[in-house]
Amino acid sequence: MPSPVVPSRAQPADVLQSVFGHDTFRPYQERIVRRLLNGQHAVVIMPTGGGKSLCYQLPALMRDGVGIVVSPLIALMEDQVAALRQRGVSAAVINSGQSTDERRAVEQQLVDGTLDLCYVAPERIMRPRFQRLLHCATVALLAIDEAHCISQWGHDFRPEYLQLSELRTAFPEVPCIAVTATADAPTQQSIVQRLHLDDDALFVAGFDRPNIRYTVVPKRRNARTQLLRFLNREHPHGAGIVYCLSRKRVEQTAEWLSAQGRTAVPYHAGLSDEQRAAHQERFLHADDLVVVATVAFGMGINKPDVRFVAHLDVPKTLEAYYQETGRAGRDGEPASAWMAYRLADIVRMHRFIDDGAANDFSRRQHQKLDALFGYCESTACRRTVLLGYFDETYPHARCDNCDNCLQPPHTWQGTEAAQKVLSCIARTEQRFGAAHIADVLTGSNTKKIRQHGHDALPTHGVGDNRPKRAWRSIIRQLVAKGLIRVDMAGYGALQLDPSCAPVLRGETAVELRRPSKAPVAPAAADSERPSHGPERDLFDALRETRAALAKAQEVPPYVIFHDKTLWAMVEKRPATLADFRRLPGVGDMKQKRYGPDFLEALADF
């Protein structure tokens, strides 16, 4: 039988309204839901915050039996289960953090047929004992979350996911859905093939997150000061994530931000389990906390009101960048993705790849890193470049929500400057990195220059009309244009690509970007919620009501209602339970459970 929370003879739109509190489906959702209800399969590529989970949660409620959801992340499983229970759905999770008695109780519910949805880790679902349990139960559907983990071309490949293809063999009649936010074309095809599905099962809902502003800046010597300037200018309040490459850098940055007056905590694999859990729990419940983290943090974080994601070090690929920046603005409100980078970061990442065996996988990773570097150096609309990487064409010439659109970079005729760089690399025998080339061009008198006799070269001091920072920018752009290659085996030595010959001969002109010193303008006022005044005061009062209810139930506040629902209360001012029911995200159960408390708060205000 379908779930008790589903009205008899209900249609998908009825369940969407009564359980989830939404009047309309988002693009692709209804098609995917109906496909699963008809017993067919689906692979869904949908942006973070685009409604992937509803694509399997809703049909699981309408089909006979229990929906089995495979997820690699305990935090995400627990978060989704808590949110479903708030809506009156019978949901549970089985994970390693539970006691034996707790796991057995859920397993009994599974067999008895009293669960609507059950979340498990990939390692557990493939165990023979759990397979026997599934065969004793009625399985409504199989959902595989974070499905890019299946593919070796994905940015977060996990070997244990490979076995999930056996589920299709073990349950051939059960509809299967695999969902992820990030998968380029090769990764998409790999998922389809590994799960033995047909191409018509693939749904790509698009990758654009229009509410996110993308900004990339060249990293200066004190990148933390650049970060703080960005935070003070665009996000003086609000929760966010700052990514760093190393544990040491995480600790230092969190401590430094705290000293500057921002509430910040570190998160990395070197902390104890208790510390990581405490910092993550604090982040989920706080409205104004910055987590400084390695990539160990973020997957499974369902917090909708993260206002910014900043990278002090470059991620490994554009897929990783897209996945990590997608943790901002899941509520659809304005959010920022800010990144500082330098050529040395790219070189270090290439060298890290080369530490492994040279094969198709490593070559593919080099190509992905080159694509990331091209994104950083591009003068085009960031959104156009990012979506183009995922084979999606942005329908407009500009997005007006990235640094390159808001402040188009000025270009200049840089052929002569390019020739100086190329000539200097040739005369230094293509054995030195960008910093040394910039030193030679500016006429520096370093020990290294004297040791190699480079102070006697014709190119020594030929570029003393520009600062070293400008020459490093020119070198980065020439690398991005493919005129210069970076020798990873030679510790980042710059080498000439054959394509540079026409430039050296003066046959091909080179346009270069002139960096802008002006900060990116803040978000337009009409896209932001009021920061003061009566409306803000009412919103804060409603947020206090939500916080008290969340504390009493020991759940994150957003599990009760997103900020968007609270703002709808501010705008609509419901006076009756019927009015309250019509707010987005309410639904039948939340109307009964929370309507009186929020109506009282509105009346008191």
Side-chain angles (χ1 to χ4, degrees):
M1 294 290 292
S3 169
V5 300
V6 174
S8 61
R9 307 175 77 176
Q11 293 297 311
D14 301 327
V15 182
L16 179 72
Q17 221 280 335
S18 64
V19 178
F20 297 93
H22 302 303
D23 292 328
T24 57
F25 284 102
R26 295 181 183 180
Y28 289 93
Q29 282 183 328
E30 186 171 12
R31 285 174 57 193
I32 296 165
V33 165
R34 290 191 178 279
R35 186 177 175 90
L36 291 168
L37 289 175
N38 291 334
Q40 297 172 289
H41 313 294
V43 174
V44 178
I45 317 298
M46 190 175 283
T48 303
K52 294 185 297 295
S53 58
L54 185 137
C55 291
Y56 57 80
Q57 289 174 350
L58 194 154
L61 298 181
M62 297 186 68
R63 286 180 61 88
D64 291 345
V66 57
I68 303 297
V69 185
V70 182
S71 173
L73 305 156
I74 292 176
L76 179 58
M77 291 191 281
E78 292 179 340
D79 196 70
Q80 291 206 9
V81 166
L84 286 165
R85 288 175 175 171
Q86 289 287 323
R87 300 187 181 281
V89 175
S90 177
V93 60
I94 299 177
N95 62 47
S96 57
Q98 296 170 315
S99 67
T100 301
D101 289 343
E102 288 173 326
R103 285 199 299 273
R104 286 178 177 169
V106 176
E107 291 170 353
Q108 191 61 51
Q109 289 179 286
L110 192 66
V111 174
D112 291 343
T114 58
L115 285 178
D116 297 319
L117 285 134
C118 183
Y119 288 72
V120 296
E123 301 88 348
R124 182 174 300 277
I125 199 170
M126 298 312 301
R127 292 177 185 174
R129 182 176 181 277
F130 199 83
Q131 291 277 305
R132 290 194 295 271
L133 278 173
L134 289 182
H135 281 288
C136 293
T138 301
V139 180
L141 59 80
L142 293 167
I144 300 173
D145 202 4
E146 307 292 347
H148 58 271
C149 298
I150 292 174
S151 171
Q152 66 173 333
W153 305 120
H155 69 278
D156 191 35
F157 170 61
R158 301 193 181 194
E160 60 269 19
Y161 258 68
L162 292 178
Q163 294 179 291
L164 295 181
S165 61
E166 298 175 19
L167 283 175
R168 292 276 295 106
T169 305
F171 298 91
E173 303 302 319
V174 175
C176 176
I177 175 173
V179 301
T180 181
T182 44
D184 58 9
T187 304
Q188 293 169 20
Q189 288 304 310
S190 179
I191 296 170
V192 170
Q193 292 167 7
R194 290 190 185 280
L195 293 178
H196 312 300
L197 302 177
D198 297 325
D199 287 341
D200 67 352
L202 181 62
F203 291 83
V204 182
F207 293 88
D208 189 20
R209 295 285 305 282
N211 61 312
I212 295 181
R213 168 169 298 172
Y214 297 100
T215 301
V216 181
V217 300
K219 187 187 293 186
R220 308 301 184 206
R221 179 164 296 181
N222 193 341
R224 292 184 304 202
T225 301
Q226 292 177 275
L227 170 67
L228 185 63
R229 192 179 302 123
F230 155 72
L231 294 179
N232 289 342
R233 184 177 66 242
E234 298 193 30
H235 297 284
H237 306 288
I241 305 171
V242 177
Y243 284 112
C244 300
L245 194 60
S246 69
R247 299 175 185 181
K248 180 179 179 181
R249 191 167 172 83
V250 164
E251 294 280 358
Q252 292 174 340
T253 303
E255 184 177 346
W256 186 84
L257 283 174
S258 296
Q260 308 307 311
R262 294 301 294 247
T263 306
V265 296
Y267 189 103
H268 56 73
L271 298 176
S272 68
D273 292 344
E274 292 76 14
Q275 287 176 301
R276 288 200 305 274
H279 290 179
Q280 178 167 302
E281 190 71 11
R282 187 175 169 189
F283 179 70
L284 294 178
H285 287 80
D287 296 315
D288 200 19
L289 180 69
V290 178
V291 171
V292 185
T294 60
V295 291
F297 181 83
M299 282 191 70
I301 297 299
N302 207 27
K303 185 177 173 70
D305 57 347
V306 176
R307 296 273 60 90
F308 65 88
V309 170
H311 285 86
L312 272 181
D313 296 305
V314 295
K316 294 179 181 179
T317 64
L318 270 180
E319 291 106 314
Y321 173 74
Y322 178 84
Q323 175 93 0
E324 290 158 16
T325 57
R327 288 156 194 161
R330 293 171 62 101
D331 54 6
E333 297 292 301
S336 299
W338 181 92
M339 176 166 60
Y341 86 102
R342 58 188 168 205
L343 182 59
D345 294 339
I346 306 293
V347 172
R348 184 168 60 250
M349 296 301 293
H350 273 297
R351 198 176 299 147
F352 177 78
I353 296 170
D354 282 338
D355 286 342
N359 51 34
D360 287 343
F361 178 74
S362 64
R363 281 190 288 273
R364 176 72 175 163
Q365 292 304 106
H366 280 303
Q367 292 169 1
K368 290 188 174 193
L369 195 51
D370 288 340
L372 174 66
F373 184 47
Y375 168 81
C376 292
E377 280 298 329
S378 176
T379 59
C381 166
R382 301 278 183 203
R383 193 163 262 100
T384 298
V385 177
L386 186 60
L387 297 181
Y389 179 80
F390 293 104
D391 297 318
E392 181 177 341
T393 301
Y394 189 62
H396 309 290
R398 47 186 289 159
C399 72
D400 289 328
N401 200 24
C402 74
D403 53 347
N404 284 347
C405 286
L406 291 168
Q407 292 182 311
H410 299 290
T411 59
W412 56 288
Q413 219 293 327
T415 305
E416 182 181 342
Q419 290 171 332
K420 290 178 180 180
V421 171
L422 298 172
S423 179
C424 189
I425 292 172
R427 291 181 182 277
T428 55
E429 301 176 326
Q430 306 183 66
R431 295 171 47 215
F432 299 89
H436 183 75
I437 297 300
D439 283 344
V440 174
L441 288 168
T442 54
S444 298
N445 185 29
T446 67
K447 180 180 178 180
K448 192 173 183 179
I449 284 178
R450 295 192 304 272
Q451 178 184 347
H452 292 280
H454 291 167
D455 50 347
L457 294 176
T459 49
H460 185 258
V462 73
D464 60 0
N465 61 323
R466 302 180 192 278
K468 293 177 186 178
R469 178 186 299 174
W471 285 111
R472 286 195 292 269
S473 174
I474 293 169
I475 290 169
R476 286 198 309 270
Q477 293 182 65
L478 295 179
V479 172
K481 290 177 182 293
L483 299 173
I484 299 172
R485 290 182 288 105
V486 180
D487 180 15
M488 306 310 161
Y491 299 97
L494 301 180
Q495 297 181 335
L496 303 181
D497 188 86
S499 63
C500 77
V503 176
L504 280 169
R505 292 194 298 265
E507 299 169 358
T508 301
V510 177
E511 288 284 318
L512 296 174
R513 182 187 71 237
R514 193 185 307 278
S516 173
K517 295 182 180 180
V520 175
D526 61 0
S527 67
E528 294 183 333
R529 302 296 189 182
S531 58
H532 58 275
E535 289 187 341
R536 181 71 199 195
D537 292 341
L538 175 54
F539 173 78
D540 288 339
L542 295 172
R543 196 159 62 166
E544 289 178 7
T545 299
R546 181 182 65 178
L549 292 167
K551 184 177 181 180
Q553 298 180 66
E554 298 183 339
V555 296
Y558 60 81
V559 167
I560 292 178
F561 286 125
H562 287 191
D563 283 358
K564 184 170 286 189
T565 302
L566 298 190
W567 281 115
M569 294 182 202
V570 172
E571 294 163 5
K572 303 291 185 182
R573 305 293 175 99
T576 66
L577 283 174
D579 294 337
F580 189 80
R581 176 63 182 78
R582 286 190 283 269
L583 296 173
V586 175
D588 293 344
M589 183 60 68
K590 290 193 175 185
Q591 176 199 33
K592 297 174 184 176
R593 184 174 289 176
Y594 301 122
D597 291 300
F598 283 98
L599 289 176
E600 183 179 348
L602 287 160
D604 288 346
F605 187 85

Short mmCIF file of all heavy atoms in Angstrom, two decimals, residues 208-233:
data_model
loop_
_atom_site.label_atom_id
_atom_site.label_comp_id
_atom_site.label_asym_id
_atom_site.label_seq_id
_atom_site.Cartn_x
_atom_site.Cartn_y
_atom_site.Cartn_z
N ASP A 208 22.64 25.70 -14.37
CA ASP A 208 22.72 27.10 -13.97
C ASP A 208 22.13 27.33 -12.58
O ASP A 208 21.07 26.82 -12.26
CB ASP A 208 21.98 27.98 -14.99
CG ASP A 208 22.21 29.46 -14.74
OD1 ASP A 208 23.21 29.80 -14.07
OD2 ASP A 208 21.41 30.28 -15.22
N ARG A 209 22.87 28.08 -11.77
CA ARG A 209 22.39 28.55 -10.47
C ARG A 209 22.38 30.09 -10.55
O ARG A 209 23.34 30.75 -10.16
CB ARG A 209 23.30 28.08 -9.34
CG ARG A 209 23.34 26.58 -9.13
CD ARG A 209 22.08 26.07 -8.45
NE ARG A 209 21.83 26.77 -7.19
CZ ARG A 209 22.47 26.52 -6.05
NH1 ARG A 209 23.39 25.56 -6.00
NH2 ARG A 209 22.20 27.19 -4.96
N PRO A 210 21.31 30.68 -11.09
CA PRO A 210 21.32 32.13 -11.37
C PRO A 210 21.48 33.01 -10.14
O PRO A 210 21.87 34.18 -10.27
CB PRO A 210 19.96 32.36 -12.05
CG PRO A 210 19.11 31.19 -11.66
CD PRO A 210 20.05 30.04 -11.50
N ASN A 211 21.19 32.48 -8.96
CA ASN A 211 21.30 33.30 -7.75
C ASN A 211 22.73 33.40 -7.23
O ASN A 211 23.01 34.20 -6.33
CB ASN A 211 20.40 32.74 -6.64
CG ASN A 211 20.79 31.33 -6.23
OD1 ASN A 211 20.98 30.46 -7.09
ND2 ASN A 211 20.91 31.08 -4.93
N ILE A 212 23.65 32.61 -7.78
CA ILE A 212 25.04 32.64 -7.30
C ILE A 212 25.87 33.62 -8.13
O ILE A 212 25.85 33.56 -9.36
CB ILE A 212 25.68 31.25 -7.36
CG1 ILE A 212 24.97 30.29 -6.39
CG2 ILE A 212 27.16 31.31 -7.03
CD1 ILE A 212 25.56 28.90 -6.36
N ARG A 213 26.57 34.50 -7.47
CA ARG A 213 27.50 35.41 -8.15
C ARG A 213 28.90 34.80 -8.11
O ARG A 213 29.43 34.46 -7.05
CB ARG A 213 27.53 36.77 -7.46
CG ARG A 213 28.69 37.65 -7.93
CD ARG A 213 28.56 39.07 -7.44
NE ARG A 213 27.36 39.65 -8.00
CZ ARG A 213 26.89 40.84 -7.63
NH1 ARG A 213 27.52 41.53 -6.71
NH2 ARG A 213 25.79 41.31 -8.18
N TYR A 214 29.51 34.68 -9.29
CA TYR A 214 30.85 34.09 -9.41
C TYR A 214 31.90 35.21 -9.53
O TYR A 214 31.78 36.10 -10.38
CB TYR A 214 30.94 33.18 -10.62
CG TYR A 214 30.01 31.99 -10.55
CD1 TYR A 214 28.79 31.98 -11.24
CD2 TYR A 214 30.32 30.87 -9.78
CE1 TYR A 214 27.93 30.89 -11.16
CE2 TYR A 214 29.47 29.79 -9.70
CZ TYR A 214 28.27 29.81 -10.39
OH TYR A 214 27.42 28.74 -10.32
N THR A 215 32.92 35.11 -8.68
CA THR A 215 34.01 36.08 -8.71
C THR A 215 35.33 35.34 -8.56
O THR A 215 35.46 34.48 -7.68
CB THR A 215 33.88 37.11 -7.55
OG1 THR A 215 32.63 37.79 -7.67
CG2 THR A 215 35.01 38.12 -7.59
N VAL A 216 36.29 35.66 -9.43
CA VAL A 216 37.63 35.06 -9.36
C VAL A 216 38.65 36.19 -9.33
O VAL A 216 38.58 37.11 -10.16
CB VAL A 216 37.90 34.14 -10.57
CG1 VAL A 216 39.29 33.52 -10.46
CG2 VAL A 216 36.84 33.05 -10.67
N VAL A 217 39.59 36.14 -8.39
CA VAL A 217 40.60 37.20 -8.27
C VAL A 217 41.99 36.57 -8.23
O VAL A 217 42.17 35.47 -7.71
CB VAL A 217 40.38 38.05 -7.00
CG1 VAL A 217 39.01 38.72 -7.03
CG2 VAL A 217 40.54 37.21 -5.74
N PRO A 218 43.00 37.25 -8.80
CA PRO A 218 44.38 36.77 -8.66
C PRO A 218 44.80 36.81 -7.19
O PRO A 218 44.54 37.80 -6.49
CB PRO A 218 45.19 37.76 -9.49
CG PRO A 218 44.20 38.43 -10.39
CD PRO A 218 42.91 38.45 -9.64
N LYS A 219 45.41 35.76 -6.72
CA LYS A 219 45.79 35.68 -5.31
C LYS A 219 47.03 36.53 -5.03
O LYS A 219 48.05 36.40 -5.70
CB LYS A 219 46.06 34.23 -4.92
CG LYS A 219 46.31 34.02 -3.43
CD LYS A 219 46.73 32.59 -3.12
CE LYS A 219 45.63 31.59 -3.36
NZ LYS A 219 46.02 30.23 -2.93
N ARG A 220 46.91 37.40 -4.04
CA ARG A 220 48.05 38.22 -3.62
C ARG A 220 48.82 37.51 -2.53
O ARG A 220 48.48 36.42 -2.09
CB ARG A 220 47.57 39.59 -3.12
CG ARG A 220 46.65 40.34 -4.08
CD ARG A 220 47.30 40.60 -5.40
NE ARG A 220 46.44 41.40 -6.27
CZ ARG A 220 46.48 41.39 -7.58
NH1 ARG A 220 47.35 40.58 -8.20
NH2 ARG A 220 45.67 42.14 -8.29
N ARG A 221 49.86 38.17 -2.05
CA ARG A 221 50.71 37.56 -1.03
C ARG A 221 49.93 37.26 0.24
O ARG A 221 50.10 36.22 0.86
CB ARG A 221 51.90 38.47 -0.72
CG ARG A 221 52.83 37.94 0.34
CD ARG A 221 54.15 38.67 0.32
NE ARG A 221 54.86 38.44 -0.94
CZ ARG A 221 56.06 38.97 -1.20
NH1 ARG A 221 56.65 39.76 -0.33
NH2 ARG A 221 56.64 38.71 -2.35
N ASN A 222 49.06 38.19 0.63
CA ASN A 222 48.23 37.96 1.82
C ASN A 222 46.79 37.73 1.38
O ASN A 222 45.96 38.64 1.38
CB ASN A 222 48.32 39.15 2.79
CG ASN A 222 47.74 38.80 4.15
OD1 ASN A 222 46.98 37.84 4.29
ND2 ASN A 222 48.09 39.57 5.15
N ALA A 223 46.51 36.50 0.97
CA ALA A 223 45.19 36.19 0.42
C ALA A 223 44.10 36.31 1.48
O ALA A 223 42.93 36.57 1.16
CB ALA A 223 45.20 34.78 -0.16
N ARG A 224 44.45 36.12 2.75
CA ARG A 224 43.44 36.21 3.79
C ARG A 224 42.86 37.61 3.88
O ARG A 224 41.67 37.80 4.17
CB ARG A 224 44.02 35.78 5.14
CG ARG A 224 44.35 34.30 5.20
CD ARG A 224 44.83 33.87 6.56
NE ARG A 224 45.98 34.64 7.02
CZ ARG A 224 46.84 34.22 7.95
NH1 ARG A 224 46.66 33.04 8.52
NH2 ARG A 224 47.86 34.95 8.32
N THR A 225 43.70 38.63 3.64
CA THR A 225 43.21 40.00 3.64
C THR A 225 42.24 40.22 2.50
O THR A 225 41.23 40.92 2.64
CB THR A 225 44.39 40.98 3.52
OG1 THR A 225 45.28 40.78 4.62
CG2 THR A 225 43.90 42.42 3.53
N GLN A 226 42.52 39.60 1.33
CA GLN A 226 41.58 39.67 0.21
C GLN A 226 40.24 39.03 0.59
O GLN A 226 39.18 39.57 0.27
CB GLN A 226 42.16 38.94 -1.00
CG GLN A 226 43.35 39.60 -1.65
CD GLN A 226 43.88 38.75 -2.80
OE1 GLN A 226 44.67 37.82 -2.58
NE2 GLN A 226 43.45 39.07 -4.01
N LEU A 227 40.32 37.89 1.27
CA LEU A 227 39.10 37.21 1.71
C LEU A 227 38.30 38.09 2.65
O LEU A 227 37.08 38.23 2.50
CB LEU A 227 39.47 35.90 2.39
CG LEU A 227 38.33 35.16 3.11
CD1 LEU A 227 37.30 34.66 2.11
CD2 LEU A 227 38.88 33.98 3.93
N LEU A 228 38.96 38.68 3.64
CA LEU A 228 38.26 39.50 4.62
C LEU A 228 37.63 40.71 3.95
O LEU A 228 36.50 41.10 4.30
CB LEU A 228 39.23 39.95 5.72
CG LEU A 228 38.60 40.72 6.88
CD1 LEU A 228 37.60 39.83 7.63
CD2 LEU A 228 39.67 41.24 7.84
N ARG A 229 38.31 41.30 2.98
CA ARG A 229 37.75 42.44 2.27
C ARG A 229 36.46 42.04 1.55
O ARG A 229 35.47 42.77 1.56
CB ARG A 229 38.78 42.97 1.27
CG ARG A 229 38.42 44.33 0.67
CD ARG A 229 39.50 44.81 -0.29
NE ARG A 229 40.79 44.91 0.40
CZ ARG A 229 41.89 44.28 0.01
NH1 ARG A 229 41.88 43.48 -1.04
NH2 ARG A 229 43.02 44.44 0.67
N PHE A 230 36.48 40.85 0.93
CA PHE A 230 35.28 40.34 0.27
C PHE A 230 34.15 40.13 1.27
O PHE A 230 33.00 40.52 1.03
CB PHE A 230 35.62 39.03 -0.46
CG PHE A 230 34.44 38.11 -0.67
CD1 PHE A 230 33.45 38.41 -1.59
CD2 PHE A 230 34.32 36.93 0.07
CE1 PHE A 230 32.37 37.56 -1.77
CE2 PHE A 230 33.26 36.08 -0.12
CZ PHE A 230 32.26 36.40 -1.03
N LEU A 231 34.45 39.50 2.41
CA LEU A 231 33.42 39.23 3.42
C LEU A 231 32.84 40.53 3.98
O LEU A 231 31.61 40.66 4.11
CB LEU A 231 33.99 38.38 4.55
CG LEU A 231 34.43 36.96 4.19
CD1 LEU A 231 34.99 36.25 5.41
CD2 LEU A 231 33.27 36.16 3.61
N ASN A 232 33.69 41.47 4.30
CA ASN A 232 33.20 42.72 4.88
C ASN A 232 32.36 43.51 3.88
O ASN A 232 31.40 44.19 4.27
CB ASN A 232 34.38 43.57 5.35
CG ASN A 232 35.04 43.00 6.58
OD1 ASN A 232 34.46 42.17 7.29
ND2 ASN A 232 36.27 43.40 6.85
N ARG A 233 32.73 43.42 2.61
CA ARG A 233 32.03 44.19 1.59
C ARG A 233 30.69 43.56 1.22
O ARG A 233 29.68 44.26 1.09
CB ARG A 233 32.91 44.31 0.34
CG ARG A 233 32.31 45.18 -0.77
CD ARG A 233 33.26 45.31 -1.95
NE ARG A 233 33.45 44.04 -2.63
CZ ARG A 233 34.61 43.43 -2.75
NH1 ARG A 233 35.69 43.94 -2.18
NH2 ARG A 233 34.70 42.27 -3.39
#
